[in-house]
Amino acid sequence: MSLLNVQGLKKTYLSRFGTNKVEALKDINFKIDPDEFVAIMGESGSGKTTLLNLIATLDKPTSGQILLNGHNLSHLNNKELSKFRRDNLGFIFQDFNLLDTFTVEDNILLPLVLRGESYAEMQMKLEIITSQLNLIDLLKKYPYEISGGQKQKVAVARALITNPKLILADEPTGALDSKSSDELLELFRIINKDGQTLLMVTHSIKAASMANRILFIKDGKIFHQIHRGNDSDQELYKKISDTLIMLSKGN
């Protein structure tokens, strides 16, 4: 069974005075299986972020449905959605979204605190995840004391510590230098091979070429998709680049 099933998804926004309608998403249909690493690409304004926000339950669709792990998200009330989000989704953002008044340790543990887990459980999970990501030496530091690449690794640890069904990443390399970007993308590849399902919105061809499948959105619809198959990163990069050129020409 698919982990994520998006069916007939539409999102329409009204102008400030309700006189004009803007169709951000028109008819989105796709599935993601467990253990997949899927990238979403498209020009600015194509609907990528809107789609991610809907899957993240941060917004509600005008019509259509999203099923995650068999649960229809439109059937959950706000309280149920908050719990479902905490238990099933991990988030990685371009600007890290770390709390500067919290240490690295406290930032990573925050989702578990909100879930009400015991101190012993939290410490056990913290030790495992920080060992895997080589973050132990940073635990007592504050976000303003570490680099951008280290901040993003902390954000990854915070997303992973709840053992989510799906990680949603919104332009995760956007604020990083090339070296930090490469390290993050390699980390994504490793955690995906370990069984973590990822859905990433990105403008970066290099980032997308690390995925197993790439979905292209144009004018609120899925325009095309590429499966990695046996392609190398370089071969996939070329296919992605060619598709984006075709998108920009309006073909």
Side-chain angles (χ1 to χ4, degrees):
M1 184 177 74
S2 298
L3 175 64
L4 179 69
N5 190 351
V6 177
Q7 302 175 352
L9 202 64
K10 297 182 181 180
K11 181 63 181 181
T12 302
Y13 294 101
L14 294 176
S15 64
R16 182 178 178 184
F17 299 105
T19 53
N20 295 313
K21 292 183 178 181
V22 177
E23 288 186 296
L25 298 175
K26 297 177 181 177
D27 186 21
I28 299 288
N29 298 275
F30 68 93
K31 297 178 181 180
I32 294 179
D33 292 331
D35 304 342
E36 270 200 285
F37 181 4
V38 178
I40 297 177
M41 301 194 78
E43 296 178 329
S44 296
S46 61
K48 303 186 304 297
T49 299
T50 298
L51 175 59
L52 200 70
N53 287 340
L54 293 176
I55 295 171
T57 72
L58 301 175
D59 198 0
K60 294 185 178 181
T62 304
S63 61
Q65 59 183 7
I66 301 168
L67 287 87
L68 181 60
N69 202 31
H71 296 274
N72 190 328
L73 303 189
S74 63
H75 293 169
L76 303 179
N77 61 36
N78 288 337
K79 185 177 180 180
E80 291 168 335
L81 276 175
S82 294
K83 183 179 186 304
F84 186 84
R85 196 182 297 127
R86 284 198 306 269
D87 293 345
N88 293 276
L89 298 174
F91 300 94
I92 302 171
F93 303 97
Q94 177 176 336
D95 57 359
F96 320 127
N97 280 16
L98 301 179
L99 299 175
D100 280 337
T101 55
F102 281 25
T103 63
V104 164
E105 177 177 351
D106 290 339
N107 268 284
I108 296 172
L109 288 176
L110 184 58
L112 302 184
V113 173
L114 295 175
R115 221 157 63 169
E117 296 199 9
S118 71
Y119 180 80
E121 289 174 324
M122 291 192 292
Q123 288 301 310
M124 179 183 67
K125 292 178 180 179
L126 179 70
E127 183 177 348
I128 292 171
I129 198 68
T130 54
S131 295
Q132 289 174 336
L133 301 184
N134 296 317
L135 290 172
I136 292 175
D137 292 341
L138 301 180
L139 289 178
K140 300 306 178 184
K141 292 183 179 292
Y142 289 86
Y144 56 81
E145 297 178 304
I146 62 179
S147 70
Q150 290 170 328
K151 288 179 184 178
Q152 197 59 293
K153 285 182 71 175
V154 173
V156 172
R158 182 183 57 189
L160 287 173
I161 200 166
T162 60
N163 192 29
K165 298 289 189 302
L166 176 66
I167 283 185
L168 302 173
D170 188 7
E171 300 285 0
T173 63
L176 301 180
D177 58 41
S178 59
K179 181 176 182 294
S180 297
S181 294
D182 290 345
E183 290 174 352
L184 178 67
L185 293 171
E186 187 57 36
L187 177 57
F188 278 5
R189 175 165 281 174
I190 290 169
I191 64 176
N192 175 243
K193 286 182 178 178
D194 287 341
Q196 179 63 61
T197 310
L198 295 109
L199 177 61
M200 173 179 66
V201 163
T202 183
H203 279 101
S204 167
I205 299 175
K206 186 172 185 178
S209 65
M210 301 291 281
N212 308 122
R213 181 161 55 111
I214 302 92
L215 301 175
F216 297 88
I217 294 183
K218 181 180 181 180
D219 299 330
K221 295 183 179 181
I222 300 293
F223 172 79
H224 185 59
Q225 67 175 317
I226 296 174
H227 292 265
R228 172 181 292 276
N230 295 318
D231 287 346
S232 66
D233 291 348
Q234 292 76 18
E235 290 168 331
L236 193 57
Y237 186 104
K238 177 68 164 55
K239 288 183 178 180
I240 294 168
S241 180
D242 290 346
T243 300
L244 290 175
I245 292 172
M246 182 172 60
L247 274 171
S248 67
K249 290 181 177 179
N251 294 333

